Amino acid sequence: QVQLVDSGGGLVQPGGSLRLSCAASGRIFRIYSMNWYRQAPGKRRELIATITSSNTTIYADSVKGRFTISIDNSNNQAYLQMNSLKPEDTAVYYCNGEIFDTMTTMIRPPWGQGTQVTVSS
């Protein structure tokens, strides 16, 4: 079983920065890709950033140029550096991805608890 723990959220003023972390633990052979999602109140969860094992990154238009996703395969952690934050970035942020728990079996872990990001003056 693989578990995901999201952390690093908080209250920040518009224009500020935060760095979110995602720690994956359990039986992990290697991480194939990781994604960051967010869910604002009353809205659907949306995919905002992806990083693949080849370090290809893809961003939603709403965060492109402001957010940076990265991954540290040595300790199974993913990060989301968020700069120039706006009030509309307020949401609960979650990570998830495709993980090989053996050499040949890819899984998608259960969602973690998420981390709240609030952008407000």
Side-chain angles (χ1 to χ4, degrees):
Q1 182 82 358
V2 177
Q3 296 85 36
L4 300 172
V5 177
D6 313 294
S7 63
L11 173 63
V12 63
Q13 292 188 341
S17 298
L18 281 174
R19 188 188 193 216
L20 305 184
S21 298
C22 168
S25 63
R27 190 172 73 172
I28 299 172
F29 181 73
R30 69 180 178 94
I31 295 175
Y32 179 75
S33 67
M34 286 299 289
N35 312 292
W36 281 97
Y37 302 78
R38 68 185 181 188
Q39 186 167 19
K43 295 189 176 181
R44 296 175 63 180
R45 190 171 299 182
E46 61 169 334
L47 173 64
I48 59 170
T50 296
I51 186 165
T52 70
S53 57
S54 60
N55 280 322
T56 298
T57 56
I58 304 169
Y59 298 95
D61 288 343
S62 57
V63 305
K64 197 174 296 182
R66 300 187 298 122
F67 290 10
T68 302
I69 187 172
S70 60
I71 192 166
D72 182 345
N73 283 294
S74 66
N75 65 6
N76 296 324
Q77 295 237 13
Y79 306 97
L80 186 69
Q81 177 67 43
M82 305 188 298
N83 299 328
S84 302
L85 283 161
K86 305 175 182 180
E88 51 263 43
D89 294 318
T90 295
V92 180
Y93 285 70
Y94 303 85
C95 69
N96 211 324
E98 288 69 45
I99 296 175
F100 281 96
D101 65 350
T102 68
M103 191 179 295
T104 57
T105 305
M106 185 186 291
I107 64 164
R108 191 168 180 85
W111 293 97
Q113 82 289 358
T115 185
Q116 175 70 48
V117 172
T118 302
V119 185
S120 175
S121 54

